Amino acid sequence: MLSSSVMIRRFCSFSVTASSSAPSTITSNSKKKRLVFLGSPQVSASVLDALFNASAAQDSLFEVTAIIAQPPTRRDRGRKVMPSPVAQHALDRGFPSDLIFTPVKVGEEAFLSNFKALEPELCVTAAYGNILPTKFLNIPSKGTVNIHPSLLPLYRGAAPVQRALQDGVKETGVSLAYTVRKLDAGPVIARERVTVDDQIKAPDLLELLFALGSKLLIRELPSIFDGSASGRAEEQDDSRASLAPKITPEESWLSFDEDAQVLHNKVLEVQLPGKRTVNAASFWNGLRGQILKK
C-alpha cells in the first residue's frame, strides 16, 4: 500500500497547470545550498515567492529543493479536494509536483526516508501548521528556522497576531528564530518591530508581518548557511514568554455587555464564521437585516 505522502504527491501531479513552461525536474546545482520550505496557507505563499525570486538571482547561494505542505482538503462550495495554497502556488510557478510533499504527519517513517534522501541543508517554516518532531529537526545540517509573527518570546503559539490584537498592543513584530522541540522557543536570529494601527485587522497585519519576515529571512540566509547566525542568535527569556493559543469558536461571540475597547479588539481579530472580512457598516447592515427578518 502506498504511503500517504506518495499518494498525495501523485494527486498533485495532476494539478499542474497546462501553461507551465518550467522543466518537470529541478536541475541540482552542487554549488547551491539545498533549502526545503514548509508552509500551508496563503500568507505562507508570499514567503515561498520571495524564496523563489531570491533563488533565481545569478549570485544566489541556494535553491528550493522541495516543499512540504499540509495535505489537500475539501473546500469551497463544490467541496472539491484541493491542494493547500502553498502547494497550489508552487504548482502555478511550475515547481515539480513530485518534489511537493504533503504528509499527514512529518514523523512518518516513509516520509522521513524520502526527506532524508534530499540531503536538505536548511528548512524554512512559515505557518506550516504541524509540530516538527526531533527526528525531523535532526536531518537538515544547518537546522530549521521559522518566521513567527510576534516579538518572541511574546505570543508563542498558533494565533500570535489575533491574540496581540485582542490584547490591544501598540507594538508587535516578526521574529526569525531557530526551531526547537519546544513550541516557538528557539534562539532568535533577528526581529523587526512595527507599530500597530488601532484599525488594522488580523489578516492585514498577518500579511504585513510575513512580508517583513520574508525580507528578514532573505537578508539573514547567508549567515544562516555559513553558521555565523547560530553563534549570535539570542536565547529567549522563558520568564517573559506569553502564549497565543488558537482562537476558539466560543471566543468569536460578541457580547455588548463587554467594554467597548474589548469589542473593538474582537472585531479586529475575528471574521464571521465562514464569511469574508467586512467593515463595520457592512457588519451592521447584515446584522440589521437578520433582526428585521425576525
Side-chain angles (χ1 to χ4, degrees):
M1 183 174 179
L2 293 175
S3 69
S4 59
S5 59
V6 174
M7 288 190 289
I8 295 302
R9 284 157 57 204
R10 287 192 173 183
F11 165 81
C12 287
S13 69
F14 293 101
S15 304
V16 182
T17 55
S19 62
S20 171
S21 59
S24 59
T25 58
I26 287 181
T27 301
S28 179
N29 184 333
S30 60
K31 294 182 180 179
K32 289 196 172 187
K33 308 295 185 181
R34 295 178 297 280
L35 183 152
V36 174
F37 178 75
L38 296 85
S40 297
Q42 186 60 48
V43 72
S44 304
S46 64
V47 181
L48 178 58
D49 220 35
L51 287 170
F52 278 151
N53 294 338
S55 68
Q58 189 172 4
D59 59 348
S60 172
L61 294 171
F62 71 95
E63 62 184 3
V64 179
T65 303
I67 294 167
I68 303 172
Q70 293 283 9
T73 56
R74 294 185 183 276
R75 61 178 187 273
D76 294 340
R77 291 183 178 180
R79 305 298 293 164
K80 294 180 180 179
V81 177
M82 300 177 66
S84 70
V86 158
Q88 187 61 59
H89 183 72
L91 292 168
D92 291 343
R93 287 281 306 246
F95 194 81
S97 60
D98 60 340
L99 293 176
I100 300 174
F101 297 84
T102 56
V104 175
K105 293 183 178 179
V106 292
E108 295 174 356
E109 291 302 326
F111 165 73
L112 285 175
S113 177
N114 289 332
F115 177 58
K116 192 171 184 178
L118 295 170
E119 298 182 340
E121 293 175 78
L122 177 69
C123 287
V124 171
T125 63
Y128 171 53
N130 259 349
I131 299 296
L132 302 178
T134 301
K135 54 187 175 181
F136 176 96
L137 295 174
N138 287 339
I139 293 175
S141 58
K142 296 297 182 181
T144 297
V145 297
N146 178 47
I147 296 176
H148 187 76
S150 82
L151 295 173
L152 290 172
L154 301 178
Y155 298 106
R156 295 174 177 174
V161 169
Q162 294 91 331
R163 295 297 182 184
L165 290 178
Q166 188 180 65
D167 291 346
V169 300
K170 301 302 180 185
E171 181 185 65
T172 187
V174 61
S175 303
L176 183 65
Y178 283 102
T179 300
V180 295
R181 192 67 182 90
K182 187 177 178 181
L183 183 65
D184 298 325
V188 177
I189 301 167
R191 297 184 184 87
E192 185 77 26
R193 297 176 181 272
V194 297
T195 301
V196 178
D197 183 320
D198 63 5
Q199 296 301 318
I200 195 169
K201 293 182 173 61
D204 299 325
L205 182 55
L206 193 65
E207 184 177 348
L208 170 62
L209 293 176
F210 272 103
L212 292 174
S214 298
K215 293 179 180 179
L216 275 185
L217 172 65
I218 300 303
R219 187 189 78 192
E220 297 293 337
L221 275 177
S223 66
I224 294 170
F225 280 123
D226 70 22
S228 61
S230 62
R232 61 177 169 78
E234 174 189 316
E235 294 290 340
Q236 294 188 42
D237 180 356
D238 288 345
S239 68
R240 294 181 54 243
S242 59
L243 299 181
K246 186 177 179 180
I247 301 290
T248 65
E250 292 75 20
E251 291 179 279
S252 301
W253 289 100
L254 298 178
S255 170
F256 290 93
D257 292 331
E258 295 179 295
D259 182 79
Q261 188 62 44
V262 173
L263 292 173
H264 174 269
N265 293 343
K266 275 195 172 186
V267 169
L268 292 178
E269 54 91 1
V270 178
Q271 299 145 332
L272 294 172
K275 304 292 185 181
R276 63 182 177 85
T277 303
V278 296
N279 59 32
S282 298
F283 174 80
W284 168 245
N285 288 335
L287 182 64
R288 183 173 58 180
Q290 293 296 321
I291 294 173
L292 290 175
K293 287 180 182 178
K294 294 179 181 181

